[in-house]
Amino acid sequence: MSETDPIRLDGLKALVTGGASGIGHATACLLAARGADVAVLDLDPSGARAPLLGIKADVSDDASVREGVAAAVDRLGGRLDILVNNAGIGAVGTVEDNDDAQWHRVLDVNVLGMARTSRAALPRLRRSAHAAIVNTCSIAATAGLPQRALYSASKGAVLSLTLAMAADHVREGIRVNCVNPGTADTPWVGRLLAAADDPEAERAALDARQPMGRLVTAGEVAAAIAYLASPAAASVTGTALAVDGGMQGLRPRPA
Ligand code: NAD
């Protein structure tokens, strides 16, 4: 570990779910740039180009996850040190707006997806001297956002899962943390804006609601994930690191 550049991942093997787009892709690229060998599990791995190892898998399907993790470990040379549970989907509306099928779907991807992938990866992570899991949570886990009942509940569960897993695996030398992004400039948010009546006005309003006057970038969230995954964070476990431009911590600006 260098004192001037503490986030080095040379020789480590990493797996990123949802790593073909947005935050996951920025993370996979940064981990690779910092020296890790990186496999990506994604429904559509076409966005994960070399040196990333793209593998098609669906985190809502247990057999697909087990096969995908086994294939990733195989292609990474039989080892795994870092798991980034990042794949997730959104849902808009109040508790009255989403039916049971939508609740089951979002919880299946966002919560069970992380549990399944962790279950498949833990036997490999136990053999690592630098084992780390980082989950992509959200400020929605604790912020009380309007029109995000189902999504917030799913991310609240991700936060609780992170803390419980950190406790369960601390004596095995496996650290478990999460990042809580604010609204991040990714294809996901692009899709939401594209569906608005006036995407440009909606984007300007979204920027104006942020304390910094702009959205968080995917690269900024990736940097936090890379830190938590790295040996530089060897004493950090059971934490949620907010990368939200001050959204949770700061008071609203006076009008
Ligand atoms: P994105 O849509 O750009 O990327 C998500 C990736 O996950 C895609 O490549 C997609 O194919 C993959 N994926 C979706 N369902 C999958 C499944 N069942 N199995 C495997 N892969 C699957 O989204 P993003 O904005 O980069 O979001 C990534 C994570 O960040 C999510 O967990 C999301 O909840 C979280 N997050 C995003 C924001 C934001 O504002 N963008 C804010 C807070 C948290």
Side-chain angles (χ1 to χ4, degrees):
M1 190 168 94
S2 148
E3 278 180 24
T4 52
D5 185 3
I7 303 178
R8 291 302 320 176
L9 303 169
D10 301 288
L12 298 181
K13 312 286 184 178
L15 175 57
V16 182
T17 70
S21 172
I23 291 168
H25 188 249
T27 300
C29 292
L30 181 57
L31 298 183
R34 291 301 167 129
D37 294 319
V38 185
V40 159
L41 290 194
D42 204 293
L43 273 182
D44 174 9
S46 59
R49 283 180 281 277
L52 307 179
L53 305 167
I55 295 168
K56 186 174 169 63
D58 179 353
V59 300
S60 70
D61 177 331
D62 194 45
S64 172
V65 167
R66 281 189 277 114
E67 280 165 29
V69 170
V73 172
D74 192 42
R75 291 177 67 183
L76 291 169
R79 285 181 34 218
L80 188 65
D81 304 288
I82 295 164
L83 169 63
V84 181
N85 279 314
N86 167 80
I89 55 176
V92 177
T94 71
V95 76
E96 294 178 295
D97 295 326
N98 298 122
D99 62 18
D100 276 12
Q102 290 168 312
W103 273 82
H104 284 297
R105 178 68 193 150
V106 173
L107 294 175
D108 201 9
V109 174
N110 290 9
V111 188
L112 275 76
M114 296 197 184
R116 280 184 194 105
T117 313
S118 301
R119 200 163 57 206
L122 274 163
R124 272 67 175 228
L125 292 172
R126 277 195 188 94
R127 297 183 209 143
S128 164
H130 298 286
I133 298 177
V134 186
N135 298 327
T136 307
C137 190
S138 168
I139 57 165
T142 56
L145 298 181
Q147 293 291 326
R148 294 289 184 277
L150 165 52
Y151 181 70
S152 299
S154 77
K155 292 299 183 178
V158 169
L159 178 59
S160 302
L161 178 66
T162 302
L163 301 179
M165 284 178 55
D168 284 338
H169 303 292
V170 64
R171 289 298 178 103
E172 297 178 326
I174 303 170
R175 300 182 299 103
V176 188
N177 293 288
C178 66
V179 289
N180 285 356
T183 308
D185 201 351
T186 70
W188 170 335
V189 170
R191 289 191 295 274
L192 280 177
L193 291 175
D197 291 338
D198 183 346
E200 267 182 43
E202 192 68 25
R203 171 67 199 237
L206 190 57
D207 282 339
R209 283 201 296 275
Q210 312 300 314
M212 290 183 174
R214 65 164 179 87
L215 301 188
V216 169
T217 70
E220 290 165 344
V221 182
I225 295 174
Y227 164 67
L228 291 171
S230 76
S235 293
V236 182
T237 194
T239 64
L241 177 51
V243 185
D244 63 357
M247 196 66 157
Q248 284 192 103
L250 305 188
R251 290 180 184 280
R253 295 163 66 83

